[in-house]
Amino acid sequence: MKIIWKKIFVVLVSTLTFGLVTPSYAYDLDHSTIDKGKKPDSEETNKIDQSSDIICRDTPISKLVRQCNEMSYYKFGDRIGPVIKDEFQSIIFPKIEEVLYTLTEELGTDKVLQLKISEQPGKGTSEKMFHVIDTETNADLVRFHVRRDHPPGEGYWFNFHYHTYKDNFENHYDLGSIYWDTNTPPNWMSATKDNIFH
């Protein structure tokens, strides 16, 4: 198969499945390598992985996921973000992604293009991280929040959770907690002194 047809095939499959299936094995492989039955070398494998990543990033659901990640760090600010980054990326954000993918499966693939996230997180001590909104009705579908908890004698924790339209946003669905410190955390969206004048 010619390279251009391989690329078209990968883009079509990725687009039709909203990035859930990316036939990376077919993308940018050298035809002679396939014919000889050899395994692709590491350089070819890297090309495949990079090409797949680019295609996946361009699907509507992956764009939404990326925007949610960016908005989370916008809320954390320069003082909280660097401290909780590793735990957020490894523990909390995969669960947020799972909620987003489940939502899009429930709504149907045609609805994914109608989804957006709220533009402004809550400042200060507000819980709001971002809300997923249906642009057709302008209604919130899922609200992602982070609350400061201060159990007696345990220091401060950030509790990540979400609320959904299914129960009129009444129940808390826990995503996990990250420990801060015994000291009071700074306000959300706080900048370090170095960034105040930028």
Side-chain angles (χ1 to χ4, degrees):
M1 189 186 307
K2 294 207 180 265
I3 294 292
I4 190 70
W5 288 110
K6 290 178 188 176
K7 290 179 181 179
I8 290 170
F9 173 71
V10 170
V11 170
L12 282 174
V13 170
S14 297
T15 303
L16 292 173
T17 62
F18 294 102
L20 295 175
V21 177
T22 305
S24 59
Y25 59 86
Y27 189 80
D28 210 21
L29 283 174
D30 180 45
H31 189 63
S32 61
T33 303
I34 294 170
D35 288 346
K36 294 177 186 173
K38 289 195 289 185
K39 230 177 147 180
D41 63 21
S42 62
E43 186 177 317
E44 288 176 291
T45 305
N46 287 341
K47 282 183 189 176
I48 293 168
D49 291 341
Q50 289 169 357
S51 301
S52 301
D53 289 345
I54 289 167
I55 291 167
C56 284
R57 281 196 300 258
D58 289 338
T59 63
I61 183 61
S62 56
K63 283 181 185 177
L64 186 72
V65 168
R66 188 172 63 248
Q67 290 169 349
C68 292
N69 198 23
E70 290 168 2
M71 189 60 70
S72 299
Y73 284 98
Y74 181 47
K75 177 172 179 74
F76 300 158
D78 295 336
R79 295 178 67 196
I80 295 176
V83 178
I84 67 170
K85 178 183 178 185
D86 292 341
E87 285 181 275
F88 179 75
Q89 284 303 130
S90 63
I91 299 169
I92 307 299
F93 199 72
K95 293 177 184 177
I96 291 174
E97 280 184 284
E98 190 178 318
V99 173
L100 293 171
Y101 279 103
T102 301
L103 173 68
T104 57
E105 286 174 14
E106 290 170 359
L107 296 175
T109 52
D110 56 326
K111 278 276 203 181
V112 176
L113 294 171
Q114 293 175 207
L115 301 180
K116 71 171 187 173
I117 64 167
S118 54
E119 295 178 8
Q120 187 66 38
K123 295 181 180 181
T125 57
S126 168
E127 290 188 14
K128 179 184 175 186
M129 288 175 60
F130 54 86
H131 297 173
V132 179
I133 301 164
D134 181 344
T135 56
E136 190 174 89
T137 62
N138 209 31
D140 289 354
L141 299 175
V142 182
R143 297 174 181 168
F144 289 93
H145 291 170
V146 57
R147 180 185 66 231
R148 296 172 181 214
D149 287 340
H150 188 207
E154 287 189 34
Y156 287 89
W157 291 80
F158 297 131
N159 172 259
F160 294 86
H161 58 277
Y162 69 96
H163 308 270
T164 177
Y165 73 99
K166 292 179 190 175
D167 60 11
N168 204 27
F169 307 103
E170 291 181 15
N171 291 325
H172 270 60
Y173 297 94
D174 192 52
L175 296 167
S177 295
I178 298 176
Y179 181 72
W180 172 254
D181 198 319
T182 54
N183 297 321
T184 305
N187 285 338
W188 297 118
M189 300 176 72
S190 294
T192 59
K193 290 181 183 177
D194 297 339
N195 290 334
I196 289 174
F197 301 106
H198 291 124

